Amino acid sequence: MIPFQPSFTPTEVDLLARSRAFFEQVNSRRTVRDFSDKPVPRDVIEQLIMSASTAPSGAHKQPWTFCVIGDPVLKTQIRAAAEAEEHRSYTSRMSAEWLDDLAPLGTDWQKPFLEIAPYLIIVFRRIFEFQAEAKRPNYYVMESVGIACGFLLTAIHDAGLVALTHTPSPMDFLTKLLDRPTNEKPFLLIPVGYPAPTATVPNIHRKPAEEVIVWYE
């Protein structure tokens, strides 16, 4: 163990001001499906992922791998495979209720952003590790990787870029296309880039505090 060294000691005024400012920042985050093909520096993507990798994890196993796709040929292959799964979902797998819930968001099985966005970040969860030819378990993998993805989305927004959480189901095609090892399973596909000049987003609203917080005092 080493001594904990806080970055600074806030006053109550600081706490409220900083928490309000952070809320205003993250509350402006929106999922965007219309991307520009404007390049994003590779170093920026690396920094965003390293921010995500600061997330807490079960037993500090850090059970994640972030695969970054910039190759146009591979992005085209990913789009083709993802759209094939999405077409099956929209035409036969999804219930009528599910499709009704998606209707206001304007989504369908076509995913051009998978080729347009300069980078795709594909997050894999590591369900175990290989050590000396033996399998060693990771703990709370889904929770840990989910938190890391939350960090990643926040970092992307804070940098001034936009992102989309894409989950074509099933996602096994990503394991095959990227030749990932057997201890990794695809968790989330995140296109990252600048918004297109003509980008639009649904006119939706987030739940207010009284609908998401229950106080016990």
Side-chain angles (χ1 to χ4, degrees):
M1 294 291 185
I2 60 175
F4 171 65
Q5 296 181 335
S7 57
F8 75 105
T9 302
T11 66
E12 287 192 10
V13 173
D14 292 331
L15 286 172
L16 186 57
R18 289 172 65 90
S19 61
R20 281 178 172 166
F22 185 76
F23 169 72
E24 293 298 330
Q25 165 70 339
V26 296
N27 194 41
S28 66
R29 188 203 60 79
R30 293 299 304 267
T31 292
V32 172
R33 292 177 172 82
D34 302 316
F35 285 82
S36 165
D37 61 0
K38 179 181 178 181
V40 173
R42 174 176 169 161
D43 289 350
V44 171
I45 299 298
E46 181 174 324
Q47 286 300 129
L48 297 175
I49 292 173
M50 293 312 298
S51 292
S53 202
T54 67
S57 60
H60 196 56
K61 291 286 188 173
Q62 304 166 80
W64 43 65
T65 299
F66 299 88
C67 294
V68 185
I69 316 302
D71 177 57
V73 173
L74 189 50
K75 288 197 293 183
T76 296
Q77 294 172 340
I78 290 172
R79 178 184 177 182
E83 287 187 335
E85 293 296 348
E86 291 286 79
H87 186 268
R88 282 190 281 271
S89 292
Y90 274 85
T91 57
S92 62
R93 292 172 179 161
M94 293 179 175
S95 66
E97 183 178 22
W98 191 348
L99 292 172
D100 286 344
D101 285 339
L102 288 175
L105 303 180
T107 65
D108 59 29
W109 62 268
Q110 299 179 81
K111 310 299 177 183
F113 50 76
L114 293 175
E115 289 185 280
I116 298 172
Y119 283 109
L120 308 178
I121 300 176
I122 301 174
V123 187
F124 285 82
R125 54 187 175 91
R126 303 174 65 95
I127 54 179
F128 59 87
E129 303 294 339
F130 292 110
Q131 292 185 3
E133 299 184 0
K135 293 181 180 180
R136 295 294 302 273
N138 288 326
Y139 311 104
Y140 299 103
V141 173
M142 296 291 282
E143 294 88 346
S144 300
V145 178
I147 294 169
C149 287
F151 275 37
L152 178 57
L153 294 171
T154 303
I156 291 168
H157 175 67
D158 187 66
L161 300 173
V162 295
L164 166 71
T165 52
H166 185 41
T167 53
S169 181
M171 292 196 287
D172 293 343
F173 67 88
L174 293 169
T175 302
K176 297 175 183 176
L177 282 174
L178 303 182
D179 194 26
R180 300 311 304 161
T182 57
N183 66 322
E184 294 184 359
K185 302 295 180 184
F187 184 81
L188 194 60
L189 195 168
I190 307 175
V192 181
Y194 294 96
T198 57
T200 61
V201 294
N203 184 20
I204 57 177
H205 305 281
R206 294 186 171 96
K207 292 180 178 180
E210 59 269 19
E211 291 187 26
V212 298
I213 302 173
V214 179
W215 296 93
Y216 294 85
E217 293 183 312

